[in-house]
Amino acid sequence: MRIDLHCHSTASDGTDTPAELVRNAAAAGLDVVALTDHDTTRGYAEAIAAVPEGLTLVTGAELSCRIDGISMHMLAYLFDPEEPALLAERELVRDDRVPRAQGMVAKLNALGVPVSWEQVERIAAGGSVGRPHVATALVELGVVPTVSDAFTEEWLADGGRAFVEKHETDPFEAIRLIKGAGGVVVFAHPAAAKRGRTVPESAIVKMAEAGLDGIEVDHMDHEVDAKERLRGLAKELGLLVTGSSDYHGSRKTVSLGAYTTDPEVYGEIIRRATGAFPVPGTGGF
């Protein structure tokens, strides 16, 4: 089985619609794909209706968190999307994305970059707006050559000249909320140092004690030595180890299935989840 547990659609900052994502996942030879848009479940209905035969869809989300001033993301799998407490927190985070992006536009304007809010809105196309949409605007304007080049201290990286903070959930609260909604919690790309400051291992230890289920180890932003260190930490703490592409369509160069999760780990995620079930494909529309 080929299992990719971290993918994005146009419901947040990917370029494939939810329907296109599941079709492309099947075409890429995947058996299981997870839809994990940022702080939203808005793509679920379209993706579920389009799952091709032979593919299984795992519903999820990537929740924005912050600890000790460090941004981090939690992957939540197979939770009840209507559970009130987690729904309220997702809406709080999502609703803060618009003023935050508008603040980045204002900072860029002050730096002499002629980006407009209308341009960012057009790029987001109704999705959950985020930094990648602002970064894409910078690419369109010729300010940077690629989206990744916008995530530097010169522009949009944490603490960068045009960076603006947003509401982000405390990770221990996120664990509590996701578990309360019957979900399974995996710390996304914990050693992605190229994105900025990373969470210390001591904090991961505390998260494991609080109910964290796993850590995403095989990821494009992890160096080889970081992967080995994380595998050792996961073994020591009894955490599941996942691998995922973090696919964003054409917004990133990584392809679907570039990194995958062991079928036994996937099976354990299913066993632990009580909020929702994977959706087997029936041919789609």
Side-chain angles (χ1 to χ4, degrees):
M1 292 180 69
R2 299 188 66 231
I3 302 160
D4 190 339
L5 293 181
H6 186 172
C7 301
H8 297 271
S9 77
T10 52
S12 65
D13 57 347
T15 59
D16 293 359
T17 66
E20 289 170 342
L21 174 63
V22 293
R23 292 181 190 130
N24 289 338
L30 290 174
D31 299 288
V32 180
V33 68
L35 176 62
T36 53
D37 280 313
H38 291 284
D39 308 307
T40 186
T41 61
R42 196 170 58 84
Y44 280 14
E46 181 182 334
I48 289 170
V51 182
E53 189 173 354
L55 180 73
T56 295
L57 172 68
V58 171
T59 53
E62 186 173 13
L63 305 185
S64 302
C65 298
R66 181 173 290 268
I67 182 171
D68 296 332
I70 303 172
S71 288
M72 56 175 290
H73 292 156
M74 287 292 199
L75 290 162
Y77 298 115
L78 299 173
F79 58 88
D80 176 0
E82 300 303 322
E83 193 283 321
L86 180 56
L87 175 60
E89 183 63 20
R90 289 201 316 275
E91 290 180 340
L92 184 62
V93 175
R94 187 191 63 218
D95 291 348
D96 200 41
R97 285 177 167 272
V98 169
R100 187 245 194 150
Q102 291 172 331
M104 287 189 284
V105 168
K107 283 194 171 185
L108 287 166
N109 291 164
L111 291 168
V113 179
V115 63
S116 69
W117 175 241
E118 290 72 24
Q119 181 185 12
V120 174
E121 278 192 309
R122 171 181 56 77
I123 293 166
S128 183
V129 67
R131 276 187 287 181
H133 299 122
V134 181
T136 300
L138 294 181
V139 173
E140 286 186 353
L141 293 169
V143 177
V144 293
T146 70
V147 167
S148 295
D149 290 312
F151 285 82
T152 64
E153 290 186 0
E154 185 177 6
W155 302 112
L156 303 177
D158 286 8
R161 295 190 301 167
F163 175 74
V164 175
E165 290 188 356
K166 69 176 187 298
H167 174 80
E168 293 172 303
T169 308
D170 175 86
F172 296 96
E173 177 68 0
I175 291 169
R176 186 188 70 80
L177 290 170
I178 295 164
K179 292 287 200 176
V184 177
V185 196
V186 172
F187 185 178
H189 42 71
K194 63 181 67 176
R195 298 178 179 222
R197 294 169 60 203
T198 58
V199 172
E201 290 184 3
S202 58
I204 299 177
V205 172
K206 292 179 181 178
M207 290 178 207
E209 293 170 350
L212 180 69
D213 290 288
I215 50 178
E216 187 180 52
V217 173
D218 292 311
H219 186 278
M220 64 176 179
D221 288 342
H222 285 172
E223 302 293 341
V224 174
D225 60 340
K227 291 179 184 180
E228 293 309 307
R229 188 174 68 252
L230 288 171
R231 283 187 213 284
L233 181 64
K235 184 176 181 180
E236 177 185 335
L237 298 175
L239 296 173
L240 302 175
V241 169
T242 68
S244 317
S245 66
D246 198 357
Y247 176 75
H248 282 70
S250 61
R251 194 156 275 130
K252 290 186 178 182
T253 57
V254 69
S255 59
L256 281 161
Y259 301 93
T260 56
T261 294
D262 185 276
E264 290 188 7
V265 173
Y266 169 61
E268 183 61 25
I269 289 172
I270 294 174
R271 282 189 289 273
R272 294 186 187 189
T274 59
F277 298 97
V279 181
T282 56
F285 54 72

